[in-house]
Amino acid sequence: PKMDYSNISTIIKNQKQFLIEQVKRLSINHIRFEGLDVNDIVKESKKKPREEPKDTLIPIQDIRGIDVSGWTLDDYHELKKAKERSFNLQCQNIIDMLRRQKNSWPFLEPVNKDDVPAVSYTHLT
């Protein structure tokens, strides 16, 4: 195949534009949905009892564009579980790091009060 290197810039621009058009055709990322009116949200949230999840002001499914994005409530729960797992993992990593410190040895095992009678345990409980 022959390549016209004098027009390479134009060829690359055309290829890029073609790819952008194909991605737009297959996705909805380029679509902008109308925003939410906070005053309406607060009024509505006071009128009707809430279902899952209760930590949001309105049901997530009521946000414009959520339904066409393919997002589901199961996705929300899975993300929430992942965040909890991540937090627990971070805490465990901190504990492990503290245990590996050379000066942590006195804190690695519980103290037997019979071995150390001079400590006032009434202040520790």
Side-chain angles (χ1 to χ4, degrees), residues 55-67:
D55 58 346
T56 60
L57 197 55
I58 64 168
I60 295 173
Q61 299 88 334
D62 290 355
I63 298 173
R64 294 174 192 102
I66 290 290
D67 55 340

Side-chain angles (χ1 to χ4, degrees), residues 97-114:
M97 189 172 59
L98 290 171
R99 286 183 173 156
R100 287 192 300 269
Q101 295 295 318
K102 67 178 182 175
N103 296 323
S104 68
W105 64 268
F107 307 103
L108 296 178
E109 297 293 328
V111 176
N112 184 340
K113 68 180 180 178
D114 296 332

Side-chain angles (χ1 to χ4, degrees), residues 18-63:
F18 174 78
L19 287 173
I20 289 171
E21 289 170 7
Q22 294 306 308
V23 168
K24 282 183 179 180
R25 191 172 60 81
L26 297 173
S27 73
I28 62 163
N29 292 339
H30 61 286
I31 299 173
R32 299 289 181 250
F33 293 92
E34 185 180 331
L36 300 172
D37 185 346
V38 176
N39 294 325
D40 290 344
I41 292 170
V42 172
K43 288 176 192 173
E44 287 297 316
S45 68
K46 292 178 182 178
K47 288 181 186 176
K48 57 184 176 181
R50 288 298 318 281
E51 295 179 16
E52 290 274 341
K54 294 187 184 295
D55 58 346
T56 60
L57 197 55
I58 64 168
I60 295 173
Q61 299 88 334
D62 290 355
I63 298 173

Side-chain angles (χ1 to χ4, degrees), residues 78-108:
E78 187 58 38
L79 180 60
K80 195 170 181 180
K81 284 181 200 173
K83 284 183 179 182
E84 290 170 5
R85 284 191 301 265
S86 175
F87 175 75
N88 291 339
L89 184 61
Q90 289 174 16
C91 291
Q92 188 61 51
N93 287 341
I94 291 169
I95 291 170
D96 292 343
M97 189 172 59
L98 290 171
R99 286 183 173 156
R100 287 192 300 269
Q101 295 295 318
K102 67 178 182 175
N103 296 323
S104 68
W105 64 268
F107 307 103
L108 296 178

